[in-house]
Every structure is written in C-alpha cells, then in structure tokens.
Amino acid sequence: MLIRRPSDIPSSEITPHDVYLRRRDFMTGAIALGAATMLPAGASAGPLQFVKSPLSTTDEPLTSLKDITTYNNFYEFGTDKDDPAQNARTLKTTPWTVKVDGLVGKPADYDLDDLIKSIPLEERIYRMRCVEGWSMVIPWIGVPLSAVLARIEPQSGAKFVSFETLVRPAEMPGQRGLFQPLPWPYVEGLRLDEAMHPLTILAVGLYGEPLPNQNGAPIRLVVPWKYGFKSIKSISRINLTDTQPVPSWQRANHQEYGFYSNVNPQVDHPRWSQATERRIGEGSGLFTKRRPTLMFNGYGEQVASLYSGLDLKANY
Ligand SMILES: Nc1nc2c(c(=O)[nH]1)N[C@H]1C(S)=C(S)[C@@H](COP(=O)(O)O)O[C@H]1N2
Ligand SMILES: [Mo]
C-alpha cells in the first residue's frame, strides 16, 4: 500500500475545512427530504479535506469500504454484525452537541463543529483489533484528541477522561425492547496520559468521507493499541474526572473486560485465546488465514512506556 504524503495531494482533491461543516447541514437536509433512505449504507456526500499523518500504519492493504461499513459492532443498533448497517441510518447526527464537563476550564455544551473548528483533519491508517479475534485496517480521518483536550483545558486534578454515547431510544432500536445487551449510556474511559497520546484520535470520517452512522457518526474515539470496544462511537459527552471510570463492558462483565483493554496476545480472554487474529476480507471458513496478534496491536514502540511498571495480567 502506497501512502501519499500531503504534498502529493492535488489541490483539486482538497475541499475547505468548513465544507465539512456545511456538508453536515446538507446531509440533514437530505434526511429531511427523505433522500437519505435512497443512499446505500456507508454512502455520503463527498470528500473531506485532510492531510495525511505520518503516524499511519503504512504497509498493509486496507480493508474494503464494504467490509468496514457492513461488519460492525454498535449495540445501540442491534447485536448482529449486520444490524448497524441496517438500522443506524435513523440516527440524526446534525445538529450534534458534545457536553464537556467535570474537571475542565472550559465546560460547555459544544456544538460539534465548534469543538473541532480549526483543528486540521488528518488521515491515519490504523489497524483495529476486536476482542472477538478479527481485525481491519481502516483509513480514519480525525483530529488528535489531545488538541480537543487542550481546547477544553483539563484542570490539574483531572486524571481520567470518560466518554458517553447518546441515549436516544427513539432512534436507537437496541435501546428499546426487553433485551438490553448493555447498560446505557455506553461509557468508555482512558487515563489522561493515554488520552493525550498522539496516536489517540477523535475520528469524523473514513475513506475520505464523513463517518457512516454505523461507524459512529458524527464523532468517535479511535485508540489503535486497544481492543475495538474502547473506541466509543457517536460521542455525546466528554467528562474529566479524578476517578477511574467504569466502562460499559466492564460494568456488564468485569471478569471478561477490564479498564485497560490493551491488545495483548499473552493475556487470554476467559473464553478464548487472543494470540491470533483473522483479517476481515481475507477469506473465510476453511480458508481463513490467522495471523499472530502483535503486542499493543503493533504500536508497542509508541505506547509501551505508558504501562511500564503496570502488571498487564492484573490490569487487562
Ligand atoms: N457506542 C458504542 N460504541 C462502540 C460499540 C458499541 O456497541 N456502542 N462497539 C465497540 C466495539 S465492540 C467495536 S469492535 C468497535 C467497532 O467499530 P467499527 O464498527 O467502526 O469497526 O466499536 C466500539 N464502539
Ligand atoms: Mo469489539
């Protein structure tokens, strides 16, 4: 896979940053007119302006857009892998407010566009590894979480960042009905130093276009050295705190899911090994090829120092 540097991108491929903001208005309009129901899952309204980040994974083939947008976990829209692509189109993503509260200098209900305004969008190709043993390589577009944190000004007592997804049962069928697979809202958390790490991004797009709803529109976390469930989708609240948050999966089953959730081939999930993985799109059934899972999902050189002195078997 050849990764183009920012200087290789012809200016004709670049749209102004605020076109991202206006496109979101356009998409609301399209939904109001009923046009969105005619778009296939994953389709959207055109390219985003971004620069390519040198923090990309450079040498692996990308997972297809079709696989990225039809094989999803997003329990607010159902528990089957193809449920989010079917059901998530009903989520209304404009306007979108992110509540910022807790130990910050600038708490507010931010309009999403104000929160990320003038932070350059970057494309970063990251490996994603799911706890269920599959992986993908995804060209994300987003902003460094650290830049957003700088804007909201963490106070000196802040030690953790917690994130919440929207609770909107009218638009999220997985939040209705008798069987509720998880406690809502979906919650995730990072230590402040993990949140400030340059690899951690808030993604607003993939494959050059705004995020499809099933992938967490309009804004989701991406932490490439942790299992996929850490990468919380459709974020509606960012809270800074001095206490370690309890993520939804840990709350639901603390024997199987811990706070850290670092990709670690040496620590098995209680019900299966985490030593190997299957790259989505690389054959199936008898022909499934498994590859060894890398410590910290291959990002060890960049992130291992965050965990020096931490017992990674006890802190799974
Ligand atoms: N709000 C919310 N975020 C979520 C989930 C979810 O169910 N709800 N699933 C997680 C899991 S288990 C995975 S593997 C990734 C999947 O992201 P993708 O569908 O974009 O590949 O989203 C994570 N973020
Ligand atoms: Mo996952």
Side-chain angles (χ1 to χ4, degrees):
M1 183 72 211
L2 190 69
I3 305 305
R4 289 189 300 174
R5 301 277 140 218
S7 59
D8 299 335
I9 305 171
S11 57
S12 61
E13 282 185 29
I14 295 183
T15 52
H17 186 236
D18 68 335
V19 169
Y20 165 71
L21 314 178
R22 274 185 273 125
R23 177 172 313 108
R24 297 187 62 244
D25 294 339
F26 164 79
M27 290 172 79
T28 319
I31 289 162
L33 292 168
T37 53
M38 295 185 296
L39 296 172
S44 56
L48 291 176
Q49 181 200 16
F50 56 83
V51 294
K52 303 233 171 191
S53 167
L55 292 169
S56 284
T57 309
T58 56
D59 52 349
E60 291 172 279
L62 300 181
T63 302
S64 73
L65 179 64
K66 182 159 190 292
D67 283 333
I68 293 172
T69 56
T70 56
Y71 192 88
N72 300 106
N73 275 337
F74 199 167
Y75 277 23
E76 286 86 339
F77 296 101
T79 55
D80 288 342
K81 295 285 179 274
D82 55 356
D83 284 339
Q86 300 290 326
N87 299 333
R89 65 184 71 231
T90 52
L91 180 66
K92 188 175 176 299
T93 59
T94 44
W96 191 269
T97 303
V98 181
K99 180 190 231 358
V100 173
D101 60 356
L103 302 175
V104 288
K106 296 249 164 69
D109 288 346
Y110 286 87
D111 181 72
L112 170 62
D113 301 333
D114 292 337
L115 191 65
I116 65 170
K117 193 178 267 165
S118 78
I119 304 173
L121 295 182
E122 297 173 25
E123 184 184 69
R124 298 169 173 213
I125 296 165
Y126 280 162
R127 280 177 223 107
M128 301 294 284
R129 167 68 158 80
C130 184
V131 74
E132 296 156 296
W134 45 270
S135 60
M136 300 195 196
V137 180
I138 302 181
W140 297 110
I141 294 170
V143 296
L145 176 58
S146 61
V148 172
L149 290 173
R151 180 157 293 177
I152 65 179
E153 298 178 3
Q155 292 175 0
S156 60
K159 296 197 173 65
F160 298 91
V161 187
S162 82
F163 304 86
E164 287 180 14
T165 298
L166 203 65
V167 180
R168 202 180 273 172
E171 295 172 24
M172 295 176 145
Q175 292 180 335
R176 306 195 288 263
L178 287 177
F179 173 66
Q180 300 286 312
L182 283 173
W184 312 116
Y186 194 99
V187 173
E188 260 305 341
L190 295 171
R191 247 173 31 198
L192 188 58
D193 59 340
E194 297 176 317
M196 294 294 292
H197 192 279
L199 287 180
T200 307
I201 60 171
L202 288 171
V204 298
L206 58 81
Y207 264 117
E209 302 207 344
L211 276 182
N213 284 359
Q214 59 268 39
N215 294 94
I219 188 162
R220 58 92 57 82
L221 186 67
V222 175
V223 195
W225 69 94
K226 292 178 182 279
Y227 290 111
F229 61 87
K230 272 270 158 189
S231 291
I232 180 172
K233 296 175 169 180
S234 304
I235 295 169
S236 61
R237 182 179 176 206
I238 299 177
N239 173 261
L240 276 86
T241 163
D242 56 4
T243 348
Q244 185 167 302
V246 185
S248 290
W249 285 101
Q250 190 181 355
R251 196 180 293 271
N253 190 340
H254 65 94
Q255 262 115 346
E256 298 194 357
Y257 306 104
F259 175 79
Y260 281 94
S261 314
N262 288 321
V263 174
N264 186 342
Q266 290 144 29
V267 176
D268 291 342
H269 183 278
R271 288 181 282 139
W272 54 77
S273 161
Q274 292 289 23
T276 65
E277 68 199 57
R278 163 177 75 93
R279 189 62 51 84
I280 297 294
E282 281 189 344
S284 56
L286 272 181
F287 305 103
T288 303
K289 166 170 136 198
R290 298 196 72 89
R291 60 180 78 217
T293 287
L294 304 171
M295 188 66 196
F296 297 115
N297 207 22
Y299 298 94
E301 215 172 286
Q302 293 102 309
V303 303
S305 63
L306 291 173
Y307 309 104
S308 57
L310 193 71
D311 178 350
L312 296 178
K313 282 211 156 62
N315 294 281
Y316 51 93

